[in-house]
């Protein structure tokens, strides 16, 4: 779990993880949670990277999820992956 921020003055109770500027591939997904998020992540690595003109820039990614208050176990999520153009 984490919080994205551009602030430098944050609580001493939190660890920080600086992230360099990158080009980001963003994969929005919406549906049954957590299945849709997990399925999207699997398909990024098993399908998208196989045909994309991009490769992984750093060995991490992040996502955020907003649960739908009106639909049980339903959410909108985005997966953000740092990429570089293949040479």
């Amino acid at each position: 779990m984490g919080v994205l921020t551009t602030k430098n003055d944050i609580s001493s109770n939190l660890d920080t993880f600086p992230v360099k500027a990158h080009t980001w591939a963003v994969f929005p997904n919406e549906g049954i949670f957590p299945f849709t998020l997990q399925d999207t992540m699997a398909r990024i690595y098993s399908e998208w990277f196989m045909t994309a003109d991009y490769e992984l820039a750093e060995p991490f990614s992040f996502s955020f999820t907003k649960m739908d208050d009106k639909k049980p176990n339903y959410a909108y999520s985005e997966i953000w992956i740092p990429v570089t153009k293949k040479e």
Side-chain angles (χ1 to χ4, degrees):
M1 292 285 191
V3 176
L4 299 175
T5 183
T6 57
K7 295 182 179 182
N8 291 319
D9 184 24
I10 60 171
S11 170
S12 62
N13 295 325
L14 300 173
D15 292 330
T16 60
F17 180 79
V19 176
K20 295 184 245 173
H22 286 289
T23 298
W24 295 88
V26 180
F27 301 89
N29 57 94
E30 185 172 359
I32 301 301
F33 184 81
F35 173 79
T36 303
L37 176 68
Q38 294 167 338
D39 184 60
T40 302
M41 181 67 84
R43 292 180 70 198
I44 291 166
Y45 287 93
S46 67
E47 297 174 20
W48 187 79
F49 271 118
M50 299 301 165
T51 60
D53 290 334
Y54 293 90
E55 58 192 7
L56 191 62
E58 297 278 347
F60 69 88
S61 63
F62 66 87
S63 65
F64 77 84
T65 300
K66 181 175 182 340
M67 298 303 294
D68 190 317
D69 294 336
K70 296 179 176 110
K71 298 179 187 176
N73 302 318
Y74 195 91
Y76 172 82
S77 298
E78 288 183 1
I79 299 169
W80 290 57
I81 299 180
V83 295
T84 56
K85 191 91 166 153
K86 288 181 182 174
E87 295 183 24

